Amino acid sequence: MSAILSPDDWAIIGLSMKVSLAAVIATLPFAFLFAWLLARGRFPGKLLLDGLVHLPLVVPPVVVGWLLLLAFGPQGPVGGLLRDWFGVSVLFRWTGAAIAAGVMALPLMVRAIRLSIEAIDHRLEAAARTLGANRWHVFLTVTLPLSLPGIVTGAVLGFARSLGEFGATITFVSNIPGETRTLPIAIYSALQTPGGDSAVFRLAVISVLLSLAALVASEAMARRALTGRSGHVL
Amino acid sequence: MSFDVQVTRRIGGTTVSALIPPADGVTVLFGPSGVGKTSILNMVAGILRPDSGHIRIGGETMFDAAAGTDLPAHKRRIGYVFQDGRLFPHRRVRGNLLYGYKLAEARDRWISLEETISFLGIGGLLDRWPASLSGGEAQRVAIGRALLSGARALLMDEPLTSLDRPRREEVMTVIERIRDELHLPILYVTHDPAEAERLGAQRIEIAHG
């Protein structure tokens, strides 16, 4: 592979993996929280929360990027806090790219996790309580492990979505080699460059392979989780 | 030790109520489907809150509406055997059996894993997944799981209904041995007159409220 791929290609792959992994890890707790609230919660404004969580799925990504720019810019509510408290900014940094990817991946992750939480039999949780488990212990030993297939699926889908993130990222943190130029943005840049055809081809093939590997891995993990429990191969 | 229960609760448009005077051994709650027999067990277990009344076991108050006492389900130490076994699908038989045992205080554990296994004859099942058990095996594991949680009384909600005839006999024998050898009070729900006849020292008819 190293003969086929240039050092620049490897750097782009490495950056994309870093951004996507960070996006998934940072988004996962929020995705689980929203999924749990939407699956189990009864509160006013639930429909509104549902809508807000799904917004990145339907709004043009460039609008999401612009909103992130407003929020995380030096004058923005979040950007101002980050600057005053920690002296950092995510603008034009890979961390900003991870935030954009995470926001765009959130709806997919919430949907997958929510489905698996809704599929959990409430009565198993009641059984656990009669066996001496308090609510927190029930959550850790019954609810969380039984929603694991959804968490894994959500994480892999989120990872694949993050790898492909383009519009919100380029709007929010621009196109900076080695910092925010992830695979799709690198492909876009190569397309704009005379003689960039072979780079476009290489990077496109890598994109397809990475996404495919992620999806196959998620399918394999979901199957393994199922076969372990039922004691036979499905 | 025995149950002493008097509860009422409105569910939907009807009122579910029960008066269970203290009695040793098995108390059978008997009546047609849909009169709220399971709801009464859920109230005793602490899963469903009664509107009024009291629930005492062996003189200890679990619930008393007038006094504002309401012990949460996980502190009641009442074993619950459900109609469908309700084993945790993500734990092997051993993990299911030990679930409540690990949570119980050392002084509340009155039976060991080994004793439970030989009492119920489930030694060969320890490494199996619940999905691979027969109905009778699953029900015996569910009973073992309840005993091991340090239960001082058992609730059984039609534990034979989902079993075929030979398996019924197998589980029924276990229940009779719990009554006669372990001396645990049992609150037993059924709509089958033969079961009620065979088990019940005290029989309480639950009718539409």
Side-chain angles (χ1 to χ4, degrees):
Chain A
M1 276 294 262
S2 57
I4 306 167
L5 297 179
S6 69
D8 279 358
D9 293 345
W10 281 109
I12 290 164
I13 295 169
L15 176 69
S16 272
M17 299 290 275
K18 179 169 82 171
V19 166
S20 301
L21 273 176
V24 168
I25 292 169
T27 308
L28 207 48
F30 296 101
F32 188 89
L33 179 70
F34 288 134
W36 194 84
L37 283 173
L38 292 173
R40 291 287 175 84
R42 273 192 231 156
F43 53 94
K46 186 170 158 178
L47 270 178
L48 185 65
L49 178 69
D50 200 4
L52 284 174
V53 163
H54 283 88
L55 220 45
L57 211 56
V58 289
V59 163
V62 72
V63 173
V64 174
W66 176 69
L67 289 172
L68 286 172
L69 205 51
L70 291 183
F72 284 89
Q75 314 304 327
V78 189
L81 282 181
L82 287 176
R83 186 195 54 208
D84 295 345
W85 290 8
F86 303 106
V88 295
S89 166
V90 297
L91 292 185
F92 312 115
R93 300 295 315 277
W94 74 270
T95 42
I99 291 172
V103 167
M104 295 304 291
L106 182 72
L108 285 175
M109 294 167 76
V110 170
R111 287 179 82 88
I113 299 171
R114 177 183 181 173
L115 279 177
S116 76
I117 293 177
E118 282 172 345
I120 295 174
D121 188 345
H122 279 54
R123 299 172 312 163
L124 287 172
E125 295 165 319
R129 279 164 59 207
T130 68
L131 291 165
N134 62 31
R135 284 177 189 277
W136 178 237
H137 197 80
V138 172
F139 175 78
L140 286 182
T141 58
V142 180
T143 319
L144 198 57
L146 287 178
S147 53
L148 204 58
I151 295 174
V152 170
T153 309
V156 175
L157 279 177
F159 181 76
R161 177 67 186 79
S162 295
L163 277 179
E165 194 354 76
F166 178 79
T169 307
I170 201 166
T171 312
F172 180 32
V173 290
S174 184
N175 175 1
I176 300 163
E179 195 68 38
T180 67
R181 184 175 287 176
T182 54
L183 265 171
I185 297 175
I187 293 171
Y188 174 77
S189 301
L191 277 170
Q192 310 289 309
T193 312
D197 294 353
S198 75
V200 170
F201 179 76
R202 290 196 312 273
L203 295 170
V205 169
I206 293 163
S207 294
V208 171
L209 289 180
L210 278 178
S211 306
L212 200 61
L215 289 175
V216 170
S218 101
E219 191 66 18
M221 280 186 277
R223 270 168 187 272
R224 221 177 117 188
L226 283 175
T227 51
R229 282 171 203 175
S230 57
H232 55 81
V233 179
L234 288 180
Chain B
M1 197 177 281
S2 56
F3 290 95
D4 170 11
V5 176
Q6 189 260 305
V7 286
T8 47
R9 152 121 194 177
R10 279 198 74 75
I11 296 170
T14 61
T15 301
V16 173
S17 66
L19 172 63
I20 304 168
D24 287 335
V26 179
T27 299
V28 172
L29 295 186
F30 183 75
S33 326
V35 291
K37 299 190 296 295
T38 299
S39 299
I40 291 162
L41 289 197
N42 287 343
M43 285 189 254
V44 177
I47 298 170
L48 186 67
R49 192 193 166 97
D51 294 333
S52 65
H54 66 260
I55 297 163
R56 298 192 189 95
I57 289 172
E60 193 178 330
T61 302
M62 308 281 117
F63 177 85
D64 191 326
T69 309
D70 186 10
L71 210 59
H74 67 275
K75 290 188 176 158
R76 292 195 180 190
R77 295 206 289 123
I78 302 175
Y80 200 154
V81 178
F82 303 90
Q83 187 175 336
D84 51 359
R86 228 179 271 190
L87 298 176
F88 301 123
H90 58 300
R91 289 174 180 246
R92 292 174 194 267
V93 167
R94 183 193 303 274
N96 269 281
L97 287 171
L98 289 174
Y99 186 87
Y101 186 77
K102 287 179 178 163
L103 290 165
E105 306 245 354
R107 62 182 151 82
D108 293 333
R109 296 173 182 159
W110 53 267
I111 191 166
S112 70
L113 180 62
E114 291 70 30
E115 287 163 343
T116 307
I117 290 165
S118 69
F119 184 82
L120 297 167
I122 50 176
L125 309 177
L126 288 182
D127 291 321
R128 301 259 295 272
W129 292 98
S132 75
L133 301 179
S134 73
E137 288 169 338
Q139 209 53 289
R140 280 184 289 153
V141 172
I143 291 171
R145 181 177 70 169
L147 296 179
L148 279 163
S149 70
R152 50 190 161 185
L154 286 184
L155 307 174
M156 298 189 156
D157 187 7
E158 310 208 18
L160 309 185
T161 303
S162 57
L163 308 179
D164 57 33
R165 194 156 291 283
R167 300 287 96 71
R168 282 185 183 206
E169 187 52 38
E170 161 192 323
V171 174
M172 180 58 107
T173 309
V174 165
I175 294 168
E176 287 174 332
R177 288 182 54 215
I178 291 172
R179 178 192 65 192
D180 302 334
E181 296 171 31
L182 303 178
H183 306 293
L184 278 194
I186 299 173
L187 202 53
Y188 189 101
V189 160
T190 184
H191 61 259
D192 179 358
E195 271 176 50
E197 189 66 36
R198 181 166 165 184
L199 275 175
Q202 170 168 253
R203 203 165 124 167
I204 292 168
E205 301 270 348
I206 308 288
H208 286 283

